[in-house]
Amino acid sequence: MLGGLLAGVWIGARCERAVGRRVRREGPRPERMLEMLRHELRLRDDQSEAVRRILESKRPAFHGIHRNAEARMAALRDEIDRDISVLLDDEQKRKSGELRVRWEKRVHKSSHRDAH
């Protein structure tokens, strides 16, 4: 049982980091998207400037969706923790709490490292 919990925490952390890296890597950074579109579509200067404005105007919506997804993942992890918690004895609950703290520190540290 505890092995399943550990595997779930590990898989969740790996998936969340991978998604976070992909979002940051593939997110709609206007300058990167514009360069690709300029090259592939051979945009004129006036078109490039219009495309830049469109991409920049949509960026906040993208980030809002990303923040919402993070909140939903956190809520799901909390729900899983609550459901599993009822199956554990006091010592297992204590250790589970310690695992959660270590995992959150690692994720927090990783997110800061990825942001820089």
Side-chain angles (χ1 to χ4, degrees):
M1 185 71 109
L2 188 56
L5 172 65
L6 292 174
V9 168
W10 182 79
I11 290 168
R14 300 255 325 167
C15 290
E16 187 168 289
R17 282 194 307 264
V19 168
R21 284 190 303 270
R22 188 183 76 233
V23 166
R24 282 185 288 283
R25 189 175 62 241
E26 297 174 3
R29 294 187 309 197
E31 62 280 355
R32 185 168 155 193
M33 294 274 300
L34 180 59
E35 286 306 313
M36 186 272 300
L37 292 172
R38 186 180 291 161
H39 173 74
E40 294 293 328
L41 303 178
R42 299 176 194 261
L43 298 176
R44 297 183 314 266
D45 289 343
D46 61 321
Q47 291 173 313
S48 293
E49 188 53 38
V51 168
R52 178 190 308 279
R53 286 191 303 270
I54 290 168
L55 293 173
E56 288 176 353
S57 73
K58 301 301 181 186
R59 197 168 189 191
F62 175 83
H63 291 297
I65 290 168
H66 181 68
R67 281 189 301 276
N68 183 26
E70 287 176 347
R72 289 175 54 205
M73 286 294 290
L76 180 58
R77 282 191 305 271
D78 290 344
E79 183 180 335
I80 290 168
D81 285 351
R82 279 192 309 273
D83 291 349
I84 291 173
S85 169
V86 300
L87 304 172
L88 305 178
D89 63 33
D90 289 341
E91 179 63 17
Q92 290 169 323
K93 287 178 186 178
R94 185 187 65 74
K95 285 187 176 196
S96 175
E98 290 173 2
L99 289 173
R100 178 71 153 176
V101 168
R102 285 195 326 232
W103 175 77
E104 287 175 356
K105 283 181 183 177
R106 189 174 64 238
V107 169
H108 183 68
K109 183 178 172 182
S110 174
S111 67
H112 280 295
R113 193 173 46 239
D114 288 346
H116 293 102

